[in-house]
Amino acid sequence: MGIVGAGFSMSLDGFIAGPNDDFQRLFGWMSLGNTDVTLSTGDRDIELKVSEESAKSFEDLMQATGAIVSGRRMFDVAGAWGGKHPLNVPIVVLTHQPPQEWVKDESPFTFVTDGIESAVAKAKQIAGDKNVGVGGADITRQCLKAGLLDEIGIDLVPVLLGSGVRLFEYLGIEPVELECTRVAAAPGVTHLSYRVLK
Ligand SMILES: NC(=O)c1ccc[n+]([C@@H]2O[C@H](COP(=O)([O-])OP(=O)(O)OC[C@H]3O[C@@H](n4cnc5c(N)ncnc54)[C@H](OP(=O)(O)O)[C@@H]3O)[C@@H](O)[C@H]2O)c1
């Protein structure tokens, strides 16, 4: 059985996007290394240059991930990844109103409207023995509150953005205890992984 994990590039003051959903500064570390990684969406190739260790992490992520749950905002901000997510896995989108242009038999997207538990259950069913990734701040918080999240990966970027989309805003719950499982410094980023203690 796979795990449910969320991973984000985040500023030191806790933002995963700046104003107007701009995340370019947070992804700057992906061009500071010396190992080439190519990710492909439905409409473009993304050429990255990362450290050897970060390249290995991308490879591991691609091998281990069987499906992703995305919030509707992330889906919209990413332009539906041109029809193919860079990890090339099925995407379950949690939304109140499925976009009709993507509701069709051969769609790479499954739209779920009845809550985070249902969306994660659907993604687990698709992923089989592999892991489920969670994308979007709002739905990551919902996963945490519902006790659905097993791991949090943070690529910590040494910048203070000051405003934008915060990852851990208004959790409104008891402290969530975490166990740090990875600390790895690379050019322009520190990779951190935490296991959520339940
Ligand atoms: N730095 C990074 O690594 C990174 C990675 C990924 C994303 N991001 C950023 O994260 C931001 C997106 O996160 P976000 O927190 O704004 O939004 P989100 O979690 O992607 O999506 C939230 C939306 O999902 C839908 N939704 C949430 N709960 C629902 C429920 N229970 N039932 C039905 N629909 C539900 C609602 O949309 P509707 O009501 O419209 O359906 C809601 O507005 C973007 O700025 C993106 O750039 C950053």
Side-chain angles (χ1 to χ4, degrees):
M1 188 68 164
I3 61 151
V4 179
F8 295 94
S9 285
M10 191 173 87
S11 67
L12 187 60
D13 53 347
F15 293 98
I16 59 160
N20 304 314
D21 295 307
D22 183 3
F23 49 77
Q24 289 310 316
R25 173 62 188 89
L26 295 175
F27 286 3
W29 63 270
M30 296 183 193
S31 57
L32 295 179
N34 49 20
T35 304
D36 292 320
V37 173
T38 303
L39 301 176
S40 300
T41 66
D43 48 17
R44 68 190 181 106
D45 285 345
I46 306 166
E47 309 287 351
L48 309 179
K49 277 195 173 292
V50 296
S51 69
E52 209 172 309
E53 181 168 349
S54 306
K56 174 80 171 62
S57 298
F58 274 117
E59 202 181 302
D60 291 348
L61 190 67
M62 294 190 85
Q63 298 275 339
T65 305
I68 289 173
V69 181
S70 171
R72 175 63 188 272
R73 283 205 69 241
M74 178 169 153
F75 171 84
D76 285 343
V77 168
W81 302 277
K84 177 178 159 286
H85 189 277
L87 295 190
N88 198 17
V89 294
I91 310 291
V92 176
V93 182
L94 184 60
T95 181
H96 292 101
Q97 217 162 13
Q100 290 311 304
E101 68 271 29
W102 287 110
V103 180
K104 49 190 176 188
D105 280 350
E106 68 279 20
S107 178
F109 308 112
T110 302
F111 297 97
V112 169
T113 56
D114 57 347
I116 191 68
E117 283 90 351
S118 175
V120 171
K122 183 71 194 168
K124 279 184 166 178
Q125 183 196 341
I126 294 170
D129 287 341
K130 290 191 164 187
N131 296 344
V132 168
V134 178
D138 177 40
I139 67 158
T140 296
R141 290 192 293 271
Q142 291 187 48
C143 281
L144 262 178
K145 287 182 196 179
L148 296 169
L149 205 60
D150 300 307
E151 268 189 22
I152 301 171
I154 298 293
D155 300 316
L156 192 64
V157 179
V159 64
L160 302 169
L161 285 184
S163 65
V165 179
R166 271 194 202 279
L167 181 53
F168 297 122
E169 191 166 50
Y170 307 126
L171 276 179
I173 50 177
E174 295 296 307
V176 177
E177 296 293 338
L178 307 170
E179 178 193 3
C180 184
T181 54
R182 179 183 181 220
V183 179
V189 68
T190 304
H191 301 294
L192 304 168
S193 297
Y194 297 92
R195 193 161 66 83
V196 180
L197 301 179
K198 299 178 184 174

